[in-house]
Amino acid sequence: MGYAVLLALTALTALNGAIRALGGSPSLLSLRHLGDKVSAISAYFIHLPRHAACPCDKDLRGQVRAMATLYGVPPAFALAIAESESRLRPHVVSRTGAMGIMQLMPLTARSLGVVDAFDPRENIHGGVRYLAGLLRRYRGDYRRAAAAYNVGLGRVPRRGKLRLPRETRRYVRRVMRRFWATKGRKRRR
């Protein structure tokens, strides 16, 4: 094995270990989403020194509800998304490189003006604003908005039959279960 290949494998193993330490679950030596993983890890290490002295806010549910109210999103729906994405943990990195409470991808975070995706306030603000846009795009269809939040809006049609990957179908069911439980209503199927 060449020195460059050995060095690349060592770096990739270290990156995967760092993502696992932050609460993510990447597949070992996976090259999928490598750019997003590297971007997320570097964003975390930029975030760390600035926020090491001050602990994360305690009332994250209250912040999600407040942002949801500000953007016209049902607070129970925004909370269902946040809990399904990260269980309200602010320093989580997913196996695809999504960051923070609302699990924003690096490019999405930048497009929403989120400078520090690990800052709970910025992350929630950007994530709920994005969710509000999805609800407008899909005319209040919670299932389509949740699916687009998970898999990307380019893969979810505005009308017609939803053909979603199994993981996304499970995600939508989980979000809707949490949403209807929080709303105090029976689940819709």
Side-chain angles (χ1 to χ4, degrees), residues 17-85:
I19 291 172
R20 275 195 186 81
L22 296 173
S25 58
S27 44
L28 188 62
L29 301 178
S30 169
L31 295 176
R32 273 186 89 180
H33 307 287
L34 183 60
D36 290 327
K37 289 178 190 179
V38 170
S39 185
I41 293 297
S42 61
Y44 177 72
F45 286 114
I46 291 169
H47 161 84
L48 203 54
R50 288 192 303 211
H51 296 282
C54 64
C56 291
D57 296 327
K58 303 264 190 249
D59 187 26
L60 297 173
R61 281 185 172 78
Q63 287 184 38
V64 172
R65 285 187 198 104
M67 271 310 136
T69 302
L70 178 69
Y71 284 107
V73 174
F77 187 62
L79 263 175
I81 293 285
E83 289 171 350
S84 295
E85 288 289 339

Side-chain angles (χ1 to χ4, degrees), residues 17-154:
I19 291 172
R20 275 195 186 81
L22 296 173
S25 58
S27 44
L28 188 62
L29 301 178
S30 169
L31 295 176
R32 273 186 89 180
H33 307 287
L34 183 60
D36 290 327
K37 289 178 190 179
V38 170
S39 185
I41 293 297
S42 61
Y44 177 72
F45 286 114
I46 291 169
H47 161 84
L48 203 54
R50 288 192 303 211
H51 296 282
C54 64
C56 291
D57 296 327
K58 303 264 190 249
D59 187 26
L60 297 173
R61 281 185 172 78
Q63 287 184 38
V64 172
R65 285 187 198 104
M67 271 310 136
T69 302
L70 178 69
Y71 284 107
V73 174
F77 187 62
L79 263 175
I81 293 285
E83 289 171 350
S84 295
E85 288 289 339
S86 69
R87 293 188 214 128
L88 294 174
R89 295 177 297 171
H91 297 111
V92 175
V93 177
S94 77
R95 63 183 166 78
T96 59
M99 305 172 286
I101 293 170
M102 299 298 287
Q103 289 291 279
L104 300 174
M105 292 298 286
L107 186 61
T108 304
R110 280 192 295 274
S111 73
L112 293 167
V114 175
V115 177
D116 184 357
F118 293 104
D119 179 355
R121 288 184 186 136
E122 278 192 69
N123 190 286
I124 291 168
H125 186 267
V128 172
R129 195 169 88 217
Y130 181 62
L131 189 57
L134 291 175
L135 281 170
R136 278 192 305 276
R137 175 183 175 90
Y138 296 107
R139 297 181 178 173
D141 186 335
Y142 296 118
R143 292 178 192 281
R144 287 181 194 271
Y149 198 93
N150 180 259
V151 78
L153 60 95

